[in-house]
């Protein structure tokens, strides 16, 4: 039986598709940093009279605890490769691609490929390390695709990623 009291209250908006790269290596690195920092703390606590041990212990805590933690947080945030919604595709580097600027999404060998209608909108966002020349070289190398994300970074096959992105296009 259909209840008319709720008619129109349920949203038909689809949730965004988010593709996150494998984070297993980051977890292993976090464990290694935590162990090294803990060893530094133990060295400091057990050798308070030995200047060399204190320097080594404090350095271990600083490098692996503070520096490693800061680095891991940044890498964890950058492991999000794509966010696909009704507006378009947002790349992990922060660049946004509106659907009107995307010609096609497909498989480029062992990678997910995105071909742009015009690179101007993408390049105007100044993505790190991307130039007109690098986009042209990528297009020549990867079967006409401008942006390529390898399967090893996707955590799934390029075919599955391509199908998921295309299915999300309005």
């Amino acid at each position: 039986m259909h209840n008319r009291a709720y008619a129109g209250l349920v949203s038909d908006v689809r949730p965004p598709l988010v593709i996150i790269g494998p984070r297993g290596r980051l977890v292993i690195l976090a464990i290694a940093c935590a162990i090294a920092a803990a060893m530094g703390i133990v060295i400091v606590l057990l050798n308070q009279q030995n200047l060399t041990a204190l320097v080594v212990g404090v350095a271990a805590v600083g490098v692996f605890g503070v520096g490693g933690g800061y680095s891991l947080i940044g890498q964890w945030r950058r492991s999000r490769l794509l966010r696909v919604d009704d507006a378009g595709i947002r790349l992990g580097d922060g660049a946004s691609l509106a659907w009107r600027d995307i010609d096609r999404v497909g498989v480029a060998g062992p990678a997910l490929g995105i071909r742009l209608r015009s690179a101007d909108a993408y390049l105007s966002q100044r993505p790190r390390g991307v130039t007109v020349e690098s986009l042209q070289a990528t297009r020549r190398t990867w079967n006409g695709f401008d942006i390529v994300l390898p399967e090893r970074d996707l955590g799934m096959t390029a075919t599955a990623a391509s199908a998921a992105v295309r299915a999300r296009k309005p």
Side-chain angles (χ1 to χ4, degrees):
M1 181 173 175
H2 180 55
N3 186 343
R4 292 187 179 263
Y6 294 107
L9 296 178
V10 178
S11 175
D12 290 333
V13 176
R14 295 179 293 169
L17 166 70
V18 178
I19 297 178
I20 298 172
R23 292 178 167 169
R25 290 183 184 149
L26 290 178
V27 171
I28 292 169
L29 187 58
I31 292 169
C33 284
I35 290 170
M39 288 173 53
I41 292 170
V42 169
I43 289 170
V44 168
L45 293 176
L46 296 178
N47 297 297
Q48 294 181 3
Q49 304 302 327
N50 185 342
L51 182 61
T52 306
L54 282 173
V55 170
V56 169
V58 170
V61 170
V63 170
F64 294 104
V66 177
Y70 179 78
S71 174
L72 284 165
I73 289 169
Q75 290 179 45
W76 190 270
R77 288 181 180 164
R78 286 189 303 272
S79 66
R80 188 185 82 188
L81 301 175
L82 295 174
R83 182 180 190 278
V84 185
D85 57 25
D86 290 338
I89 298 174
R90 184 168 183 88
L91 301 173
D93 64 4
S96 294
L97 306 170
W99 286 116
R100 69 180 173 276
D101 297 328
I102 299 171
D103 184 37
R104 65 186 164 111
V105 175
V107 177
L112 171 67
I114 301 170
R115 181 173 178 136
L116 303 173
R117 285 195 171 97
S118 169
D120 296 338
Y122 178 53
L123 290 171
S124 70
Q125 298 174 56
R126 300 181 187 263
R128 190 177 330 146
V130 179
T131 63
V132 173
E133 295 78 19
S134 69
L135 283 177
Q136 290 171 344
T138 302
R139 184 175 275 196
R140 282 191 305 271
T141 305
W142 290 96
N143 301 330
F145 289 102
D146 299 299
I147 300 168
V148 180
L149 301 163
E151 282 182 348
R152 71 178 181 279
D153 294 341
L154 294 171
M156 65 177 75
T157 66
T159 304
S162 173
V165 170
R166 284 194 314 264
R168 190 58 187 85
K169 183 176 180 180

